Amino acid sequence: MGKDFKRHLITSALPYANGAVHIGHLAGVYVPADIYARYLRLKGEDVKFICGSDEHGVPITIKAKQLKCSPQDVVDKYHTIIKDSFEQFGISFDIYSRTTSKIHHKTAAAFFEKLYNDGKFIEKESEQYFDTEANTFLADRYITGTCPKCGAEGAYGDQCEKCGSTLSPEELINPRSAISGSEPIKKATKHWYLPLDKYEEWLREWILDGHKEWKTNVYGQCKSWLDGGLQPRAVSRDLDWGVPVPVKGAEGKVLYVWFDAPIGYISNTIELLGDEWEKWWKSDDTKMVHFIGKDNIVFHCIVFPCMLKAYGDGFILPENVPANEFLNLEGNKISTSRNWAVWLHEYLQEFPGQQDVLRYVLCANAPETKDNDFTWKDFQQRNNSELVAIYGNFVNRSVVLTHKYFGGKIPVSNNLLNVDKEALAQIPIIKASLETNLSTYKFREALKDAMNLARLGNKYLTETEPWKIAKTDMERVATILNVSLQICANLSIAFEPFLPFSSKKLRDMLNITGVNWEEFGRADILLNGHQLNAAQLLFAKVEDEAIEAQIAKLNATKAANEAAVATTAKSPVVVPQKEECTFDEFAKMDIRTATVLEAVKVPKTDKLLQLTIDTGIDKRTIVSGIAEHYTPQEMVGKQICILANLAPRKIKGIESKGMILMAKDESGNMKFVTPAQVVDNGAQIN
RNA sequence: GGCGCGAUAGCUCAGCUGGUUAGAGCGCAUGAUUCAUAAUCAUGAGGUCCCCAGUUCAAUCCUGGGUCGCGCUACCA
């Protein structure tokens, strides 16, 4: 905002190294970030574009277990795939490192240590699930069970991959340890928390007053968090994979990934620059921008800034956080677990040399303001009728004609007529629009600007018709082609941030090297008499077969998914028998019949019913999460079975004394258990 | 359930602080053209600006309510 920045630090979200990168990641984060970075470099700005793999956290340890290898093996595998595919795709990171690096461990530990020594954390004990067999605490991801929302088996303690709901371990039905398969118990453990609430006022001022120009989704999300009041957030976890907490008595604890990962931006900068790094993180004249997806807003706008603020020592804050929405694929959400994605490393193999096509389509269709849909038909159409027909075709026309009439030498421009002047005058106008759009993160619009330059070229050629004039006035033809070629040279600059491979190809054709933004807009980039190289096509048509093959591939995935669902429906996955228990243990449970007297929905909840029941011994209240399966009216008068002596618990402020026994099938339908015939209330069940 | 963001031509999107006939690209139709990867250029058809109510001389834009999509977040002893 008018501020004069000396350098630009650009970060893009660290991809999680338990899978490859797909078009959703690219469209949301890496393509826009790369365009931005390339643009600034072209302008001669001092730029560092930082990224790396995020390699800690529980999902990776689980993946390792599934694959029967070490977590290190997992991250090695995916880090390599991700790094290679980014590189081939032309994402121009200055460094792509990883959080398992020594330097990151050292940096992250030191960061924690300073905050710890400065008394910036609070310590708290809490109850966590603990696996008695494996003798270890269980992170959310290490607990599996039945999803309470969709009924799918194998949901994780933090999320169900089938239906995508966010969960907490307590919600899982029939929780099991992912390590031993046993039923976990609750146990107290100590952790450190960053008291975000202490930074609320400061955040308000910084974001709500100071950054009204942020995208509405980002600003609104931040405001929502701040208005809701911030809570202390745990920064450590009981786990053996990650950066160990550098404090005495913290054995078996590591930094929580969200604390660890953003420090990766810093450690990767250190790895890249050595002692120079501080200039990039601690100078007011550095402009830092985080490119992320919308699910990451809170970490980059609230949590990480609090960490930097707590650390102090001159750390700068992001100037902007242009978070994008999500990209869907053929009408459905992209899903790694369901393999519903277009994987970058597969695309690179199946469409060799066509990086720019995907870059173009993902930018043109980027989810900047709302979720968007990627379809292969659209991909084909944009390639064939935009890249090939407009941009590629114009360049081809210009170069082919020049070879035909002037042996491939730049012809001399003579008297410029009005048409020529008008065409050339458009170039700086387009440039200005590009600059505005790029600097405000409107990459879709910016790409349109660049395309308009190619349109201008086609229009110019059609209006001037050099192939007709060639019969009478070669001098005029020389001027026309000179102008056309100057437009081509400008195109190679305009498209450089978006389509670097094609720009390079175009420059090779024009036989020029190097580009800089400064030249953009000029009509004398190519000198008279300069020899061009042979014409080659900038873009190839994408044939129907290629698209059909991709769609067939997706259909196969869909069929496989449906088959998997069908199989589980036919032969339901039955949860294995629990650990043996003694008769005494069973006898401790007081299970008996009861009748529902009243039932009401608990206000402001989706799933809770408050039931008044007659247990034979008393009338009591039970809160049960069955509102999605039974209406209150249905429940009244029904005889049910309850666990009567379960320790009472407050749910939504209501004391619930006991639990209703429910049977649940594969698709998540819950049915209460009832005696075959009505019996007296309070009848014991053994 | 709470909160946030979105909803504008067949598709993808612009529409600044409310103001005469709501714009662009692609697709479609018609015409022109043939240097070019049957590419290009011109013209045109296409919209209850999600719905309802309100404020206003005037609302796509403001207010209230609702519907749908997505994200964050809460309850399941």
Side-chain angles (χ1 to χ4, degrees):
Chain A
M1 295 287 104
K3 206 169 160 188
D4 199 17
F5 291 103
K6 283 216 177 71
R7 54 193 90 67
H8 298 262
L9 183 61
I10 302 167
T11 74
S12 54
L14 305 185
Y16 197 56
N18 74 334
V21 163
H22 57 61
I23 53 170
H25 300 124
L26 294 173
V29 180
Y30 306 103
V31 167
D34 188 56
I35 292 168
Y36 188 66
R38 284 174 181 271
Y39 163 64
L40 291 175
R41 287 194 199 104
L42 263 184
K43 285 188 66 169
E45 301 284 347
D46 205 358
V47 174
K48 294 290 177 254
F49 182 16
I50 307 288
C51 197
S53 301
D54 175 11
E55 306 188 304
H56 294 138
V58 179
I60 279 166
T61 63
I62 291 175
K63 189 113 191 172
K65 209 158 280 274
Q66 283 168 359
L67 300 175
K68 296 188 168 50
C69 63
S70 69
Q72 190 66 50
D73 292 337
V74 172
V75 300
D76 284 350
K77 176 184 165 186
Y78 287 112
H79 173 73
T80 309
I81 292 177
I82 295 170
K83 189 173 198 283
D84 288 353
S85 55
F86 272 147
E87 206 173 305
Q88 282 181 55
F89 195 54
I91 302 295
S92 60
F93 298 127
D94 288 291
I95 182 166
Y96 187 86
S97 189
R98 53 198 307 190
T99 58
T100 51
S101 72
K102 266 195 186 135
I103 209 159
H104 174 70
H105 273 240
K106 198 176 132 197
T107 309
F111 199 103
F112 181 97
E113 210 167 2
K114 171 148 176 12
L115 294 189
Y116 178 83
N117 291 335
D118 291 353
K120 301 289 186 183
F121 293 134
I122 49 180
E123 285 181 26
K124 264 207 288 196
E125 268 209 354
S126 65
E127 297 257 299
Q128 298 275 322
Y129 274 121
F130 186 82
D131 184 328
T132 47
E133 276 182 40
N135 192 32
T136 176
F137 280 98
L138 297 169
D140 296 355
R141 272 264 150 175
Y142 258 135
I143 304 156
T144 64
T146 307
C147 173
K149 310 210 170 179
C150 73
E153 298 295 334
Y156 296 115
D158 58 345
Q159 198 191 20
C160 171
E161 305 234 312
K162 279 270 160 52
C163 67
S165 328
T166 311
L167 306 173
S168 70
E170 285 72 24
E171 293 181 70
L172 285 179
I173 298 161
N174 199 0
R176 318 292 297 180
S177 162
I179 299 175
S180 66
S182 68
E183 192 171 347
I185 61 159
K186 286 286 187 90
K187 193 173 164 180
T189 179
K190 186 168 77 175
H191 283 289
W192 292 272
Y193 290 73
L194 184 62
L196 298 180
D197 42 312
K198 285 192 183 162
Y199 301 89
E200 237 176 80
E201 272 317 299
W202 168 75
L203 282 168
R204 270 181 183 283
E205 205 173 300
W206 174 55
I207 300 175
L208 301 187
D209 299 340
H211 283 294
K212 293 189 193 292
E213 82 283 6
W214 284 5
K215 288 174 71 166
T216 49
N217 58 341
V218 177
Y219 188 89
Q221 182 84 189
C222 292
K223 187 171 185 322
S224 162
W225 272 80
L226 290 168
D227 288 348
L230 298 176
Q231 302 293 322
R233 244 184 133 106
V235 299
S236 55
R237 291 261 115 176
D238 292 295
L239 189 70
D240 60 0
W241 176 245
V243 178
V245 172
V247 170
K248 265 184 206 156
E251 288 73 31
K253 294 183 196 296
V254 297
L255 304 186
Y256 202 0
V257 270
W258 69 254
F259 186 85
D260 162 5
I263 297 174
Y265 297 139
I266 301 172
S267 40
N268 293 348
T269 312
I270 297 174
E271 185 176 337
L272 175 67
L273 298 171
D275 295 340
E276 288 267 288
W277 78 273
E278 284 191 304
K279 196 169 75 186
W280 288 81
W281 279 92
K282 297 180 180 178
S283 310
D284 282 340
D285 50 7
T286 297
K287 178 172 178 175
M288 176 158 72
V289 178
H290 296 310
F291 284 86
I292 58 168
K294 67 173 160 183
D295 52 341
N296 249 325
I297 291 173
V298 65
F299 292 113
H300 288 79
C301 298
I302 307 274
V303 179
F304 188 43
C306 283
M307 288 165 60
L308 295 173
K309 173 74 176 168
Y311 196 100
D313 197 29
F315 266 111
I316 54 163
L317 299 167
E319 199 58 29
N320 207 323
V321 185
N324 272 343
E325 305 283 309
F326 285 169
L327 188 68
N328 293 325
L329 171 59
E330 301 283 356
N332 292 303
K333 275 193 206 187
I334 293 178
S335 158
T336 301
S337 59
R338 290 187 300 123
N339 194 28
W340 191 255
V342 175
W343 301 103
L344 178 57
H345 63 288
E346 292 184 3
Y347 174 88
L348 291 167
Q349 278 187 349
E350 289 160 19
F351 293 87
Q354 298 184 66
Q355 290 93 330
D356 280 353
V357 181
L358 188 59
R359 290 177 66 109
Y360 181 80
V361 173
L362 293 179
C363 178
N365 197 19
E368 284 178 11
T369 49
K370 61 167 191 186
D371 289 0
N372 267 349
D373 197 24
F374 176 95
T375 66
W376 280 107
K377 197 167 162 273
D378 179 66
F379 172 88
Q380 181 188 28
Q381 212 159 62
R382 283 190 186 276
N383 178 73
N384 293 356
S385 62
E386 294 178 32
L387 287 179
V388 172
I390 299 171
Y391 181 17
N393 184 38
F394 168 65
V395 169
N396 193 237
R397 300 169 85 181
S398 308
V399 176
V400 165
L401 284 173
T402 305
H403 276 285
K404 188 168 172 182
Y405 298 133
F406 300 100
K409 284 195 166 50
I410 306 287
V412 180
S413 150
N414 300 293
N415 305 330
L416 290 181
L417 303 184
N418 274 343
V419 247
D420 311 328
K421 286 179 189 161
E422 279 164 19
L424 291 172
Q426 284 301 312
I427 305 177
I429 295 173
I430 288 173
K431 177 184 182 182
S433 180
L434 255 167
E435 286 176 338
T436 307
N437 286 323
L438 285 172
S439 57
T440 50
Y441 317 103
K442 291 177 183 161
F443 303 107
R444 253 185 341 214
E445 274 311 296
L447 184 57
K448 255 188 205 176
D449 288 332
M451 208 40 135
N452 281 338
L453 186 53
R455 287 200 175 87
L456 175 78
N458 277 319
K459 188 174 172 175
Y460 174 75
L461 276 184
T462 304
E463 280 172 356
T464 52
E465 298 181 305
W467 52 91
K468 274 191 183 166
I469 312 255
K471 291 165 191 159
T472 55
D473 184 356
M474 280 313 275
E475 225 174 77
R476 177 64 192 141
V477 174
T479 304
I480 294 168
L481 288 182
N482 185 296
V483 170
S484 297
L485 290 165
Q486 301 297 350
I487 293 176
C488 288
N490 275 285
L491 277 168
S492 84
I493 307 173
F495 272 111
E496 169 71 19
F498 308 94
L499 312 175
F501 296 90
S502 309
S503 274
K504 172 75 171 53
K505 207 167 168 185
L506 175 51
R507 287 197 300 277
D508 286 347
M509 222 186 302
L510 299 176
N511 194 19
I512 52 176
T513 52
V515 254
N516 69 74
W517 199 257
E518 192 84 280
E519 285 188 323
F520 188 6
R522 280 169 42 185
D524 59 350
I525 299 177
L526 299 168
L527 304 175
N528 290 340
H530 175 77
Q531 178 66 49
L532 302 181
N533 287 319
Q536 48 172 331
L537 297 178
L538 226 39
F539 303 98
K541 279 209 165 164
V542 171
E543 302 297 339
D544 291 345
E545 295 76 57
I547 295 306
E548 280 158 16
Q550 291 300 326
I551 291 173
K553 193 169 156 188
L554 286 172
N555 284 338
T557 299
K558 199 178 260 175
N561 286 339
E562 277 163 12
V565 170
T567 340
T568 47
K570 271 181 208 147
S571 53
V573 178
V574 179
V575 179
Q577 180 170 305
K578 292 184 188 174
E579 235 180 302
E580 193 175 273
C581 77
T582 64
F583 180 79
D584 285 348
E585 281 168 338
F586 170 69
K588 278 173 76 177
M589 291 191 274
D590 187 334
I591 304 175
R592 57 176 74 212
T593 56
T595 298
V596 178
L597 302 174
E598 289 168 32
V600 287
K601 195 140 183 272
V602 179
K604 299 185 178 185
T605 67
D606 289 341
K607 300 179 182 177
L608 299 184
L609 286 188
Q610 178 179 351
L611 308 168
T612 309
I613 58 166
D614 183 348
T615 64
I617 24 180
D618 58 8
K619 292 195 173 79
R620 62 170 80 176
T621 298
I622 285 185
V623 177
S624 185
I626 57 173
E628 289 182 337
H629 306 278
Y630 288 102
T631 62
Q633 296 87 319
E634 278 180 288
M635 289 304 293
V636 173
K638 293 279 161 46
Q639 189 162 53
I640 55 175
C641 298
I642 60 157
L643 177 59
N645 64 340
L646 185 69
R649 170 159 170 149
K650 271 202 174 179
I651 300 166
K652 277 277 158 185
I654 305 161
E655 177 144 271
S656 176
K657 295 160 80 175
M659 181 168 82
I660 300 181
L661 301 190
M662 305 288 291
K664 192 167 55 63
D665 72 11
E666 197 49 29
S667 48
N669 292 317
M670 305 231 289
K671 300 291 171 209
F672 58 80
V673 177
T674 190
Q677 286 175 6
V678 174
V679 297
D680 289 341
N681 286 331
Q684 291 273 341
I685 297 171
N686 316 337

